[in-house]
């Protein structure tokens, strides 16, 4: 009998969901929900690895659930819940802290990026964040994990941890090795201000990202101000290699319009970037503003969002407890 396919992924409730989350993760979540059993988690324990104001955190959890639903996730089809409501995540994370090696964590580039220059001052939680992520996935024995390219390294670590656990405890195939599902074309949406950095919720400048809740006016302004290039749009991708901001805008246009990169260049080469920006802003307004309006509408009924979390928690906890029972036994915990 083959392994049962199960999808797991998480989103941090750290602020406004943006175009990177939408194209890199949420759209993928929605299409997978049609094919497989899916578990989508608002990862609040990950969020607190960096200080969060308690009231903002509570609101952001609900807002993330609203973002899930507004993007097309159906709580009747997918399990939607918040991480801290299922205690098994923290318990398994501890066990996996004892499996993962310090050398493995030292190689994680996201810690280096997020901790900045003074690593001594970063929280211990931020350092062991990838072990908690492995626990999130392995707690459900998930086989597929839709993520943006920024999470590829963490996924590889989750596979290493699963493999070492299976080997150390002589329980071959107990944990399946989770496969990353990374969108091929838009694996990484970059900042509108600096094309070498990914679009991110925690970036200071709001002009660096398109938020799902942005109005048509804000989207138009942000795209108009986005960094591009003073030369004309070229006719081949090679000429965009050293122009990450311009490439990013073209990539986003290609993804949303569903026109291949080559055809976008065929259509636009020789034109100024203002031409692309006008068309891109139009597309973004028609794709993103309905999602934003739906998020705002859903936030008007918080009890509905809390109810989604409550039902999701109950379903998730059943799977988690069943797996944890076996994990405790394998490890020798009474
Ligand atoms: N710029 C991006 N391009 C493509 N995919 C992205 N994702 C995030 N940013 C981009 C994907 O969205 C999912 C949820 O990410 P997250 O919010 O849990 O954490 P993150 O990757 O740390 O996102 P941010 O916006 O950068 O949050 P902060 O600023 O709080 O750290 C993941 O699948 C991620 O790959």
């Amino acid at each position: 009998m083959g392994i049962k396919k199960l999808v797991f992924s998480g989103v941090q409730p750290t602020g406004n969901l943006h175009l990177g989350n939408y194209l890199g993760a949420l759209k993928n979540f929605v299409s997978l929900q049609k094919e497989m059993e899916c578990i989508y988690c608002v990862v609040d324990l990950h969020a607190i690895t960096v200080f969060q104001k308690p009231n903002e955190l509570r609101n952001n959890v609900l807002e993330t659930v609203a973002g899930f639903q507004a993007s097309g996730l159906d709580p009747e089809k997918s399990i939607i819940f918040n991480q801290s409501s299922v205690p098994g995540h923290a318990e398994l994370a501890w066990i996996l802290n004892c499996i993962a090696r310090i050398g493995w964590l030292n190689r994680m580039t996201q810690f280096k990026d997020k901790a900045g220059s003074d690593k001594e001052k970063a929280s211990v939680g931020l350092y062991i964040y990838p072990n908690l992520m492995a626990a999130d996935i392995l707690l459900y024995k998930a086989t597929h994990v839709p993520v943006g390219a920024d999470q590829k390294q963490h996924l590889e670590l989750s596979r290493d941890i699963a493999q070492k656990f299976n080997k150390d405890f002589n329980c071959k195939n107990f944990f399946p090795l989770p496969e990353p599902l990374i969108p091929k074309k838009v694996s990484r949406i970059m900042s509108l201000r600096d094309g070498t950095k990914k679009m991110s919720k925690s970036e200071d400048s709001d002009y660096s990202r398109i938020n799902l809740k942005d109005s048509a006016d804000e989207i138009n302004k942000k795209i108009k101000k986005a960094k591009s290039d003073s030369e004309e749009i070229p006719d081949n991708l090679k000429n965009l290699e050293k122009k990450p901001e311009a490439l990013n805008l073209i990539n986003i246009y290609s993804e949303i319009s569903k026109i291949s990169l080559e055809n976008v260049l065929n259509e636009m080469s020789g034109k100024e970037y203002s031409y692309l920006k006008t068309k891109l802003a139009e597309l973004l307004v028609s794709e993103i503003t309905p999602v934003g309006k739906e998020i705002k509408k859903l936030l008007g009924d918080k009890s509905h969002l809390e109810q989604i979390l409550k039902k999701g928690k109950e379903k998730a906890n059943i799977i988690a407890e069943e797996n944890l029972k076996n994990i405790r036994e394998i490890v020798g915990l009474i």
Side-chain angles (χ1 to χ4, degrees):
M1 204 178 72
I3 301 173
K4 186 179 153 211
K5 287 184 180 168
L6 179 67
V7 169
F8 178 93
S9 198
V11 174
Q12 293 191 73
T14 40
N16 286 322
L17 289 171
H18 53 71
L19 188 67
N21 299 131
Y22 183 71
L23 295 179
L26 293 172
K27 280 193 100 170
N28 219 0
F29 290 6
V30 174
S31 60
L32 285 165
Q33 140 187 286
K34 295 180 198 126
E35 299 161 25
M36 293 187 221
E37 198 177 331
C38 297
I39 304 178
Y40 295 121
C41 184
V42 182
V43 286
D44 45 8
L45 295 176
H46 282 281
I48 61 169
T49 56
V50 174
F51 181 76
Q52 306 291 325
K53 292 188 182 141
N55 265 337
E56 282 180 16
L57 179 63
R58 271 187 284 270
N59 284 332
N60 283 336
V61 169
L62 296 185
E63 185 156 339
T64 308
V65 179
F68 280 3
Q69 210 183 358
S71 304
L73 286 183
D74 176 355
E76 295 300 322
K77 284 196 189 135
S78 299
I79 299 179
I80 294 173
F81 71 106
N82 62 310
Q83 189 183 26
S84 62
S85 69
V86 174
H89 289 256
E91 183 177 342
L92 182 57
W94 182 257
I95 295 173
L96 300 186
N97 281 340
C98 304
I99 301 289
R101 306 289 93 182
I102 289 174
W104 299 357
L105 287 179
N106 283 343
R107 287 196 285 276
M108 296 297 114
T109 54
Q110 183 173 292
F111 174 74
K112 291 176 193 155
D113 292 345
K114 290 203 171 177
S117 52
D118 197 353
K119 295 187 182 35
E120 302 275 310
K121 289 213 172 127
S123 74
V124 175
L126 190 65
Y127 183 66
I128 56 173
Y129 177 118
N131 294 347
L132 177 59
M133 179 166 158
D136 299 336
I137 298 163
L138 300 178
L139 184 59
Y140 302 96
K141 295 189 168 190
T143 54
H144 294 81
V145 186
V147 281
D150 56 308
Q151 293 299 327
K152 187 164 180 269
Q153 194 185 35
H154 288 165
L155 239 296
E156 279 159 9
L157 184 88
S158 298
R159 290 168 66 91
D160 290 345
I161 292 174
Q163 221 158 9
K164 181 160 163 47
F165 182 99
N166 290 348
K167 186 161 165 280
D168 286 358
F169 293 103
N170 201 16
C171 52
K172 202 169 164 221
N173 299 334
F174 177 75
F175 283 131
L177 304 188
E179 294 279 345
L181 297 175
I182 299 176
K184 283 196 182 68
K185 277 164 56 194
V186 285
S187 58
R188 194 183 277 251
I189 301 295
M190 310 313 277
S191 154
L192 300 178
R193 312 296 285 162
D194 176 352
T196 62
K197 283 193 190 158
K198 72 166 187 160
M199 189 176 282
S200 164
K201 302 188 210 91
S202 53
E203 171 65 44
D204 285 342
S205 166
D206 201 47
Y207 277 91
S208 68
R209 62 185 161 257
I210 302 288
N211 302 307
L212 298 188
K213 280 196 318 186
D214 280 346
S215 66
D217 241 24
E218 283 165 321
I219 293 176
N220 279 316
K221 253 193 233 148
K222 287 179 180 181
I223 294 297
K224 207 168 179 184
K225 278 189 169 253
K227 228 172 141 182
S228 56
D229 192 38
S230 52
E231 289 176 18
E232 294 169 344
I233 300 176
D235 60 4
N236 66 75
L237 279 172
K238 189 119 192 60
N239 289 359
L240 285 169
E241 265 171 14
K242 295 212 170 81
K243 300 176 175 178
E245 290 85 10
L247 178 62
N248 188 40
L249 294 178
I250 293 177
N251 257 331
I252 298 171
Y253 181 79
S254 158
E255 176 58 22
I256 300 187
S257 66
K258 308 232 168 349
I259 302 173
S260 70
L261 277 176
E262 289 71 19
N263 285 341
V264 173
L265 293 182
N266 281 344
E267 180 200 327
M268 298 200 182
S269 71
K271 296 198 162 70
E272 301 205 344
Y273 278 91
S274 55
Y275 177 81
L276 165 71
K277 284 183 171 184
T278 308
K279 297 199 92 176
L280 177 59
E282 272 169 22
L283 271 187
L284 283 170
V285 167
S286 73
E287 173 96 16
I288 298 299
T289 52
V291 179
K293 278 188 193 138
E294 187 61 19
I295 293 178
K296 287 176 196 159
K297 191 178 120 203
L298 289 165
L299 282 171
D301 182 2
K302 295 215 163 123
S303 67
H304 161 78
L305 300 170
E306 283 160 357
Q307 201 52 28
I308 292 178
L309 288 175
K310 183 167 175 286
K311 276 197 189 154
K313 165 185 95 174
E314 284 160 6
K315 289 189 207 158
N317 209 29
I318 292 171
I319 309 173
E321 272 307 313
E322 181 66 32
N323 288 336
L324 263 179
K325 207 168 77 196
N326 294 329
I327 293 165
R328 289 186 198 112
E329 199 172 308
I330 289 171
V331 175
L333 302 170
I334 297 174

